[in-house]
Amino acid sequence: MDEIRAESWAHLHELLFADSWHEGLARHRSDFVFRGEASTGASLATSLQRLGGDFAEVERHLLRNFRKYAERDSVPRDDVWHWLAVAKHHGLSTRLLDWTYSPYVALHFATALPANFGEDGLIWMVDFVKTNRLLPDVVRRALEHEGMNATSADLLAEVAPTLAAFDRLGEDFVVFFEPPALDERIVNQYALFSLMPSPRARMDEWLGRYPGLARQIVLPAELKWEVRDKLDQANITERVLFPGLDGLATWLKRYFSPRRP
């Protein structure tokens, strides 16, 4: 897997927007999705895997009880994929992993906590157009028919109405899944999820088996303050990414905190 250390704000931009030019369109359209980590030691373990114990067995119980106790109008459509997206959005441990189409949103999450500014951060870049070539035929054909590069809840419901049916599609692939626009937070974060056909599957391990699908940009600790300040100037803040009073308060508290050695 390619790993490059950013040397400056300008160099960081070159790395984030590399290979985004599409000759046929004569436009800049990146094939990458992004994920920001505050530390290079962070893995791509899902929130379900971080539960520990027999998390694979617990998955169905978590989702079943979330559906049982949530209000019926919590989802735009009553199927497992809409429920899974809503559950993840509200903090339930799931096999979904957060990504964004925006490199700036990824940079925000890599620099959101000044307590981590003493260590290098990391930006994951995954070519989701290339990962689609490894999809099971039924999913790939559905995407091609719709002219999509990422699946939707509706498309997933057509090819696999349950998680068990999804897991039977194959063993070695990653689907990128755009959640429904549940609220402004999902829209403003330009969010999507990755999904694998087993609660035990690890995306970082999977990417390691397929050279050329992913890149890692190391964000040096000494660059984090500059990145954070310039993101704030560009209005990439908690106030925008987490609309509401909680996001506003978090932004103000961080923005007016003094810089400490």
Side-chain angles (χ1 to χ4, degrees):
M1 193 178 308
D2 296 335
E3 181 180 292
I4 308 174
R5 188 177 181 87
E7 298 175 359
S8 66
W9 171 258
H11 185 224
L12 178 61
H13 278 70
E14 291 179 11
L15 297 173
L16 290 171
F17 291 97
D19 301 320
S20 64
W21 177 253
H22 273 244
E23 192 67 38
L25 296 174
R27 302 290 295 273
H28 289 275
R29 292 287 189 269
S30 179
D31 289 342
F32 288 91
V33 293
F34 304 85
R35 178 179 171 88
E37 299 282 4
S39 169
T40 54
S43 70
L44 293 184
T46 66
S47 56
L48 179 66
Q49 291 163 351
R50 291 195 294 271
L51 279 180
D54 193 3
F55 61 84
E57 177 62 23
V58 168
E59 180 184 40
R60 60 194 177 95
H61 300 299
L62 284 168
L63 189 57
R64 184 185 69 250
N65 281 284
F66 186 86
R67 295 178 72 168
K68 180 170 68 174
Y69 292 114
E71 296 178 359
R72 293 299 93 189
D73 61 357
S74 298
V75 292
R77 178 174 164 181
D78 187 16
D79 63 49
V80 67
W81 303 109
H82 283 86
W83 278 112
L84 194 61
V86 169
K88 172 66 174 175
H89 184 57
H90 287 281
L92 188 72
S93 296
T94 72
R95 69 167 75 178
L96 300 179
L97 201 61
D98 292 297
W99 297 83
T100 176
Y101 289 113
S102 169
Y104 290 125
V105 172
L107 284 176
H108 168 81
F109 285 105
T111 59
L113 299 174
N116 297 118
F117 279 18
E119 56 184 321
D120 293 348
L122 189 68
I123 306 297
W124 283 89
M125 298 175 59
V126 175
D127 190 327
F128 68 108
V129 175
K130 287 183 179 179
T131 63
N132 286 347
R133 299 170 190 168
L134 302 172
L135 289 173
D137 289 344
V138 64
V139 183
R140 190 176 65 254
R141 286 196 299 266
L143 282 174
E144 292 171 352
H145 177 74
E146 296 293 338
M148 300 162 64
N149 284 321
T151 62
S152 64
D154 292 337
L155 186 147
L156 281 172
E158 292 177 8
V159 300
T162 66
L163 273 173
F166 178 79
D167 290 349
R168 290 193 294 268
L169 293 177
E171 297 180 352
D172 197 35
F173 67 93
V174 168
V175 162
F176 282 96
F177 164 34
E178 290 184 359
L182 301 169
D183 59 20
E184 291 182 11
R185 175 154 62 99
I186 281 183
V187 174
N188 292 359
Q189 292 183 12
Y190 212 174
L192 71 166
F193 304 128
S194 61
L195 172 67
M196 299 186 72
S198 168
R200 293 186 173 87
R202 281 278 298 272
M203 191 166 176
D204 41 9
E205 296 173 355
W206 184 82
L207 289 169
R209 299 198 297 271
Y210 293 96
L213 293 186
R215 302 172 185 175
Q216 292 177 317
I217 301 174
V218 176
L219 180 61
E222 59 270 21
L223 192 57
K224 279 187 172 180
W225 274 109
E226 179 181 356
V227 170
R228 182 65 264 168
D229 288 344
K230 290 180 175 177
L231 289 176
D232 286 342
Q233 183 68 42
N235 201 30
I236 309 297
T237 70
E238 296 87 348
R239 183 172 66 93
V240 174
L241 301 179
F242 297 90
L245 296 181
D246 289 346
L248 175 60
T250 301
W251 167 60
L252 289 172
K253 181 173 65 175
R254 179 185 54 74
Y255 189 81
F256 286 99
S257 294
R259 179 173 178 173
R260 296 179 175 86

